[in-house]
């Protein structure tokens, strides 16, 4: 049986939708059904479900809040919650799929980050997710760590929805043009998660985003290319945020591609996603 944590979040909901399409059975939990900061609750669910596989999508993802007011909660969920899950999963012989982030890197490397590059997180969110990675590696015998970046999709809040909403009330928008990365459609990520586990790929760390790279400005231009809104590029220092953002967090996808998984470009995925929104 498959168990999903964070099943009502942006990725968890997309994963459920994909598994439903594939007629793959699973048990979905969110914090109301299984609070990962409560090890006893996790153990109770494991005893009931007896999962062979856990897709660990639960996380604290409010990047700026994690710097101050949300720091304690971020540590509780991303570090201690992951430790609780890892320990119970290892006792049960369960494989864990842990979702991580490009924010484990400092963004100072000019080339693509490989799965073997040293992490050096510069914000609290990246730090807690990296510590979560280390916990999974030290406790779990069977695990996949999937680092992703710039996530967008049908469910939850994300950059695509933000840009589309702002375009309705503004004639021009300013977007940073000095941060480089790879957008990731939740659909592509969900498909890869299932691909890795179903083909029983080698355990370890993988990077998965859509192919090609861009700046946030270029991403915004593509999102709003059919609108009359003017998009103006600005530097990061003109758009200060609480949490440090890596300037260059393009991750190497070769290990994911080597599994036989076909990765669409972010432009193709964005186009497909926007088309699906028009049909809703």
């Amino acid at each position: 049986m498959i168990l999903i944590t964070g099943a009502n979040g942006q990725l968890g909901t997309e994963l459920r939708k994909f598994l439903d399409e594939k007629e793959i059975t699973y048990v979905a939990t969110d914090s109301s059904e299984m609070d990962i900061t409560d090890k006893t609750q996790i153990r109770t669910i494991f005893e009931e479900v007896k999962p062979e596989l856990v897709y660990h999508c639960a996380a604290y993802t409010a990047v700026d809040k994690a710097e101050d007011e949300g720091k304690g909660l971020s540590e509780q969920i991303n570090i201690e919650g992951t430790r609780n899950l890892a320990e119970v999963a290892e006792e049960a012989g369960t494989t864990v799929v842990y979702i991580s982030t490009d924010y484990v890197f400092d963004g100072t490397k000019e080339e693509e980050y490989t799965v073997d590059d040293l992490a050096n997180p510069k914000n609290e969110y990246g730090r807690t997710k990296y510590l979560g990675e280390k916990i999974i590696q030290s406790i779990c015998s069977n695990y996949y760590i999937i680092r992703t970046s710039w996530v967008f999709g049908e469910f939850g809040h994300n950059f695509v929805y933000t840009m589309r909403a702002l375009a309705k009330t503004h004639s021009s928008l300013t977007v940073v043009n000095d941060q480089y990365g790879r957008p990731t459609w939740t659909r592509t990520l969900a498909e890869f998660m299932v691909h890795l586990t179903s083909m029983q790929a080698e355990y370890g760390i993988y990077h998965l985003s859509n192919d090609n790279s861009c700046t946030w400005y270029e991403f915004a231009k593509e999102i709003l290319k059919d609108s009359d809104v003017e998009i103006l590029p600005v530097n990061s220092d003109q758009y200060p945020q609480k949490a440090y953002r890596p300037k260059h967090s393009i991750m190497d996808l070769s290990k994911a591609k080597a599994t036989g998984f076909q990765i669409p470009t972010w432009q193709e995925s964005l186009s497909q996603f926007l088309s699906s929104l028009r049909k809703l």
Side-chain angles (χ1 to χ4, degrees):
M1 180 57 75
I2 293 168
L3 180 67
I4 303 173
T5 73
N8 294 333
Q10 180 173 226
L11 177 58
T13 310
E14 186 77 67
L15 179 60
R16 286 191 290 119
K17 183 180 178 182
F18 180 61
L19 292 173
D20 288 341
E21 286 173 21
K22 294 290 180 185
E23 298 183 341
I24 298 171
T25 56
Y26 59 86
V27 172
T29 65
D30 215 316
S31 55
S32 56
E33 291 95 15
M34 186 178 77
D35 179 354
I36 62 169
T37 66
D38 183 339
K39 195 172 179 182
T40 305
Q41 261 193 48
I42 299 174
R43 195 167 269 126
T44 301
I45 294 288
F46 265 67
E47 285 168 2
E48 288 172 13
V49 175
K50 296 182 171 54
E52 295 163 16
L53 171 65
V54 175
Y55 289 117
H56 182 29
C57 304
Y60 183 90
T61 59
V63 177
D64 287 313
K65 280 187 179 177
E67 292 296 306
D68 42 45
E69 64 191 275
K71 184 175 178 180
L73 200 54
S74 176
E75 290 178 338
Q76 227 180 332
I77 295 167
N78 295 348
I79 302 173
E80 296 314 316
T82 296
R83 186 189 310 281
N84 290 338
L85 186 78
E87 287 174 352
V88 177
E90 183 64 10
E91 288 167 12
T94 305
T95 298
V96 176
V97 179
Y98 174 82
I99 306 303
S100 193
T101 171
D102 60 323
Y103 284 5
V104 302
F105 298 117
D106 59 20
T108 58
K109 185 181 177 183
E110 291 182 8
E111 297 85 32
E112 295 177 358
Y113 280 98
T114 71
V115 295
D116 298 318
D117 278 332
L118 288 176
N120 185 29
K122 292 289 190 180
N123 63 34
E124 278 299 309
Y125 171 65
R127 182 183 72 87
T128 60
K129 291 300 289 181
Y130 179 57
L131 288 173
E133 284 189 16
K134 302 305 285 180
I135 287 163
I136 294 292
Q137 288 175 303
S138 64
I139 294 172
C140 298
S141 304
N142 305 333
Y143 68 86
Y144 298 100
I145 292 168
I146 305 173
R147 294 177 182 143
T148 192
S149 59
W150 298 22
V151 177
F152 70 92
E154 181 182 347
F155 310 101
H157 302 289
N158 58 70
F159 187 70
V160 176
Y161 285 149
T162 299
M163 288 297 105
R164 283 163 59 91
L166 288 171
K168 291 175 183 174
T169 54
H170 295 71
S171 58
S172 69
L173 296 169
T174 56
V175 183
V176 295
N177 195 35
D178 58 354
Q179 294 172 19
Y180 297 83
R182 295 192 194 272
T184 308
W185 187 17
T186 47
R187 174 72 184 205
T188 307
L189 180 54
E191 288 175 354
F192 181 67
M193 291 162 70
V194 175
H195 167 81
L196 267 192
T197 54
S198 60
M199 71 165 294
Q200 297 182 315
E202 182 185 352
Y203 294 124
I205 300 174
Y206 291 81
H207 290 169
L208 193 283
S209 292
N210 285 107
D211 218 340
N212 292 348
S213 59
C214 61
T215 65
W216 288 108
Y217 164 74
E218 290 165 336
F219 192 15
K221 289 270 284 187
E222 190 70 17
I223 293 164
L224 298 176
K225 67 179 180 182
D226 295 328
S227 77
D228 296 327
V229 178
E230 183 183 21
I231 316 289
L232 302 168
V234 293
N235 292 331
S236 298
D237 53 17
Q238 293 173 263
Y239 192 76
Q241 293 173 290
K242 276 186 201 172
Y244 170 90
R245 261 66 174 184
K247 284 288 181 77
H248 189 278
S249 63
I250 301 170
M251 295 190 294
D252 171 53
L253 305 177
S254 58
K255 188 175 177 183
K257 289 177 180 177
T259 68
F261 186 73
Q262 299 294 313
I263 304 176
T265 65
W266 69 263
Q267 293 96 327
E268 290 167 337
S269 292
L270 177 63
S271 174
Q272 206 176 331
F273 171 53
L274 293 176
S275 295
S276 72
L277 286 184
R278 287 190 279 272
K279 292 171 191 169
L280 290 176

